[in-house]
Amino acid sequence: MSVLAVTGGVGGAKLAVGLAHILKPDQLVFLVNTGDDFCHLGLHISPDLDTLVYSLAGVACPKKGWGRRDETWSFVKTLNDLGGPAWFQLGDKDLALHVYRTQILNDGGSLTDATKEIAEALDVKHSVLPCSDDPIATVVDSEVGELSFQHYFVKHQCRPRVKRIKYDGAEHARLNLSLDLATISMVVICPSNPYLSVDPILAIPDFRKFLQSPNVPVLAVSPIVQGRALKGPTTKIMTELGYTVDNKTVARHYKELLTGLIVDEGDATDCETIMSLGIECIARNTVMRTLDDRIRLAQETLEFGNTLAN
Amino acid sequence: MSVLAVTGGVGGAKLAVGLAHILKPDQLVFLVNTGDDFCHLGLHISPDLDTLVYSLAGVACPKKGWGRRDETWSFVKTLNDLGGPAWFQLGDKDLALHVYRTQILNDGGSLTDATKEIAEALDVKHSVLPCSDDPIATVVDSEVGELSFQHYFVKHQCRPRVKRIKYDGAEHARLNLSLDLATISMVVICPSNPYLSVDPILAIPDFRKFLQSPNVPVLAVSPIVQGRALKGPTTKIMTELGYTVDNKTVARHYKELLTGLIVDEGDATDCETIMSLGIECIARNTVMRTLDDRIRLAQETLEFGNTLAN
């Protein structure tokens, strides 16, 4: 039986690394957001898959959390000099991965095939699965119109006010066909942005249905710490969508799916309200600065999950 | 009126740089081999166009003659680590150009459009024209079967014995539509490999017909110096095709087109035989080690052409 970890970008990848340190490759499967995927310069770019694979392989840039460590930037600087579209920062090493993946896709392989080959080449032993091989596109409906995720996130640096977020294609997307749900004994939603990183996965009908069944505990680590997200545009987006930025909003957001929520130790007073929604809740240190933090929080998450399974 | 310089790879680009130092942008047009062009990793790569543009822009690698100076190689090293096809050495800066060109082509632009944009971005003032916007592919029929040029040249490092060389598509290719032949007062065939770099251009019916008309002097600088080519596989290929490696073979090869041939000063004794074929011939120092060498030989070539025009 395996733990299924649902994850998006940099925050989720931190807990993912902790889980991978504790659980063996046959005990853990990652299901990763593809709503941020996009085609740029003819290349298929999968930011969340790459962040996770780089993190698991130990080659992620420790400072930025995404991209590769010891990266060089000759390509994008030269592209800029030529007048080409250089708004998306593509490192020279990172680019090799995008070119390789695009080749596999153009040769008829699936995103799952490409991810498997890349993970193997980088010596990643755990299964990393795109949430679907069907295209899902996170679209931000903003004050300046609809923006594809990367245009919102990178090109416009999250500046336009968000009105609504939708997940084009998710309704008809099939859950990754390599994932055998019968083997899953626990689901962990990693501390990624609920609206941008997790919801595109939850919007896949087969997966949502699975999470709503009572057989498997579903727990989440809240990405909110004392009224704000540690990283990225979560705080801004939640505010613009009209939500209070706190763990109670996160609990309500996942309500119909969630068995348990882990909030930061500084937010321990939220536990009571969350439990009144029918969701078990514990408070732990959820700020993961070091590898030890990641492993500790992963351990605490698994222990909490085990109590919920009984 | 303009000089039309017909050129291929590294050798031709040296004389081209000399010509560009002497003639103004409205006095000189380059017509460049595209028979080596190929699609690799989804990118349209035009080695001879790039060698010329980099040379004219002063950014070519002075040691190799192709690619860019101060290049970095993170991309191709990483691609190799991933298990991708890394046999074609693509520098990180060079790659930006291929990606940019491929984008323009995918957006519906022609190779002429792409080359113009790239040349402008690199501040190249002279017109650089692909010989045709229709595809021409140099194919080497070898002892191991038919090989596309780059597979022969780079992947197999010119090892297989050559039986025949053909130029797929050339027969139906239209000469570059931006080239106004009525403005051309002299044609200079630069010292590139006759079989690999020049013949694909000469195989375009419209261009061959133009060269055979008696109105415009056509001169060539021989790529052979004292029985061998200075660079590349010319010597090996000529031998395998059954030719003696000397200027007389070059003269006979271009015979029906050529008004004058410049041979190296060490081969001055060849002039008499060549003139007996009805081709004017002079001997000069054709070994271009420095920029001064390039300018001097270009000057001598233009002077020779002017005597033939009268």
Side-chain angles (χ1 to χ4, degrees):
Chain A
M1 297 300 280
S2 300
V3 170
L4 181 70
V6 175
T7 180
V10 176
K14 289 183 179 181
L15 186 63
V17 166
L19 291 167
H21 265 81
I22 297 166
L23 298 172
K24 293 189 183 127
D26 63 353
Q27 297 175 313
L28 177 63
V29 177
F30 294 105
L31 192 66
V32 185
N33 175 39
T34 59
D36 305 359
D37 286 24
F38 76 128
C39 184
H40 181 57
L41 304 169
L43 302 171
H44 183 102
I45 299 182
S46 298
D48 285 357
L49 282 167
D50 295 349
T51 293
L52 179 61
V53 169
Y54 287 154
S55 296
L56 293 172
V59 300
C61 172
K63 207 166 162 185
K64 296 196 302 273
W66 56 267
R68 290 187 69 144
R69 65 164 72 230
D70 306 321
E71 185 59 282
T72 64
W73 302 92
S74 299
F75 168 81
V76 80
K77 278 182 202 153
T78 309
L79 187 64
N80 189 53
D81 291 345
L82 288 171
W87 59 269
F88 192 81
Q89 285 292 305
L90 281 172
D92 302 326
K93 295 180 182 178
D94 192 33
L95 189 63
L97 186 146
H98 305 312
V99 167
Y100 187 53
R101 171 170 43 229
T102 304
Q103 276 286 102
I104 295 170
L105 295 174
N106 288 347
D107 289 347
S110 66
L111 187 58
T112 300
D113 297 334
T115 307
K116 192 162 183 273
E117 285 201 34
I118 289 164
E120 276 171 12
L122 288 169
D123 211 22
V124 168
K125 307 287 189 201
H126 293 83
S127 286
V128 175
L129 300 179
C131 58
S132 177
D133 279 323
D134 301 321
I136 298 174
T138 300
V139 176
V140 177
D141 186 8
S142 79
E143 57 181 348
V144 299
E146 290 195 352
L147 297 169
S148 69
F149 177 76
Q150 295 300 337
H151 280 78
Y152 167 74
F153 192 67
V154 183
K155 199 167 188 179
H156 292 274
Q157 299 187 322
C158 307
R159 277 186 301 257
R161 194 173 172 85
V162 175
K163 296 197 296 195
R164 196 171 62 106
I165 301 170
K166 54 181 195 162
Y167 315 102
D168 282 359
E171 206 185 326
H172 301 289
R174 291 160 300 172
L175 183 64
N176 192 303
L177 301 173
S178 311
L179 176 61
D180 182 0
L181 290 174
T183 65
I184 303 302
S185 55
M186 184 192 303
V187 175
V188 175
I189 299 175
C190 294
S192 293
N193 185 313
Y195 311 92
L196 292 178
S197 298
V198 179
D199 276 5
I201 309 175
L202 302 185
I204 300 170
D206 286 350
F207 190 53
R208 196 161 186 93
K209 198 172 153 196
F210 168 73
L211 293 181
Q212 286 168 331
S213 69
N215 306 326
V216 171
V218 177
L219 52 159
V221 174
S222 174
I224 304 297
V225 174
Q226 300 186 42
R228 63 184 198 89
L230 294 177
K231 220 181 159 299
T234 310
T235 308
K236 180 174 181 288
I237 288 171
M238 286 178 77
T239 307
E240 289 171 4
L241 291 174
Y243 296 119
T244 310
V245 183
D246 63 16
N247 295 304
K248 286 165 268 186
T249 301
V250 174
R252 279 188 208 101
H253 182 76
Y254 292 137
K255 187 177 180 303
E256 55 179 310
L257 314 169
L258 218 57
T259 323
L261 182 68
I262 300 176
V263 299
D264 187 64
E265 55 191 5
D267 293 327
T269 52
D270 288 346
C271 288
E272 202 175 329
T273 317
I274 290 162
M275 287 197 282
S276 74
L277 298 169
I279 297 167
E280 293 298 317
C281 187
I282 59 171
R284 295 289 184 272
N285 177 5
T286 63
V287 183
M288 294 172 280
R289 291 200 178 86
T290 65
L291 177 59
D292 282 348
D293 290 339
R294 287 158 212 190
I295 296 171
R296 178 196 37 76
L297 183 59
Q299 189 65 53
E300 290 164 348
T301 302
L302 294 171
E303 283 165 10
F304 183 44
N306 286 332
T307 64
L308 299 178
N310 297 331
Chain B
M1 298 299 279
S2 299
V3 170
L4 182 70
V6 175
T7 179
V10 175
K14 288 184 180 181
L15 186 64
V17 166
L19 291 167
H21 264 80
I22 297 166
L23 298 172
K24 293 189 184 126
D26 62 353
Q27 298 175 313
L28 176 63
V29 177
F30 294 105
L31 192 66
V32 185
N33 175 38
T34 59
D36 304 359
D37 287 23
F38 76 128
C39 183
H40 181 56
L41 303 170
L43 302 171
H44 183 103
I45 299 182
S46 298
D48 286 357
L49 282 167
D50 295 349
T51 293
L52 180 61
V53 169
Y54 287 154
S55 296
L56 294 173
V59 300
C61 172
K63 207 167 164 183
K64 296 195 303 272
W66 56 268
R68 290 188 69 144
R69 65 163 72 230
D70 306 321
E71 185 59 284
T72 63
W73 303 92
S74 297
F75 167 82
V76 79
K77 277 181 201 152
T78 309
L79 187 65
N80 190 53
D81 292 345
L82 287 171
W87 58 270
F88 192 80
Q89 285 291 305
L90 281 172
D92 301 327
K93 295 180 182 180
D94 192 34
L95 188 63
L97 188 147
H98 305 312
V99 167
Y100 187 52
R101 171 170 44 227
T102 304
Q103 277 286 102
I104 295 169
L105 295 174
N106 288 347
D107 289 347
S110 65
L111 187 57
T112 300
D113 297 334
T115 307
K116 192 160 183 275
E117 284 202 34
I118 289 164
E120 275 171 13
L122 289 169
D123 211 22
V124 169
K125 306 289 189 201
H126 292 83
S127 287
V128 175
L129 301 179
C131 57
S132 178
D133 278 325
D134 301 321
I136 297 175
T138 301
V139 176
V140 177
D141 186 8
S142 80
E143 59 181 345
V144 298
E146 290 195 353
L147 296 169
S148 69
F149 177 76
Q150 294 300 338
H151 280 79
Y152 167 74
F153 193 67
V154 182
K155 200 167 187 177
H156 292 274
Q157 299 186 326
C158 307
R159 278 187 299 257
R161 194 174 173 85
V162 175
K163 296 196 297 195
R164 194 170 65 106
I165 301 170
K166 55 181 193 159
Y167 315 102
D168 282 357
E171 205 185 327
H172 301 290
R174 292 160 301 172
L175 183 63
N176 192 303
L177 300 173
S178 310
L179 176 62
D180 182 1
L181 290 174
T183 65
I184 302 303
S185 55
M186 185 192 301
V187 175
V188 175
I189 299 174
C190 294
S192 293
N193 185 314
Y195 311 93
L196 293 178
S197 296
V198 179
D199 277 5
I201 310 175
L202 303 185
I204 300 170
D206 287 349
F207 191 53
R208 197 163 185 93
K209 199 173 152 196
F210 168 73
L211 292 181
Q212 286 168 331
S213 69
N215 306 324
V216 170
V218 177
L219 52 159
V221 174
S222 173
I224 303 298
V225 174
Q226 299 187 44
R228 64 185 196 86
L230 294 176
K231 223 183 157 298
T234 309
T235 308
K236 178 174 183 287
I237 289 172
M238 287 179 77
T239 307
E240 289 170 5
L241 291 174
Y243 297 118
T244 310
V245 184
D246 63 15
N247 294 304
K248 287 165 268 187
T249 301
V250 174
R252 278 188 208 100
H253 182 75
Y254 291 136
K255 185 175 181 305
E256 54 179 311
L257 314 170
L258 219 56
T259 323
L261 183 68
I262 300 176
V263 299
D264 187 64
E265 55 191 6
D267 293 327
T269 52
D270 287 346
C271 288
E272 203 176 330
T273 318
I274 290 163
M275 287 197 281
S276 75
L277 297 169
I279 297 167
E280 293 299 317
C281 187
I282 60 172
R284 296 289 183 273
N285 177 5
T286 63
V287 183
M288 294 173 280
R289 290 200 180 84
T290 66
L291 177 59
D292 283 348
D293 290 340
R294 286 157 213 189
I295 297 171
R296 178 195 38 73
L297 183 59
Q299 189 64 53
E300 290 164 348
T301 303
L302 293 172
E303 284 166 8
F304 182 44
N306 286 333
T307 64
L308 299 178
N310 297 330

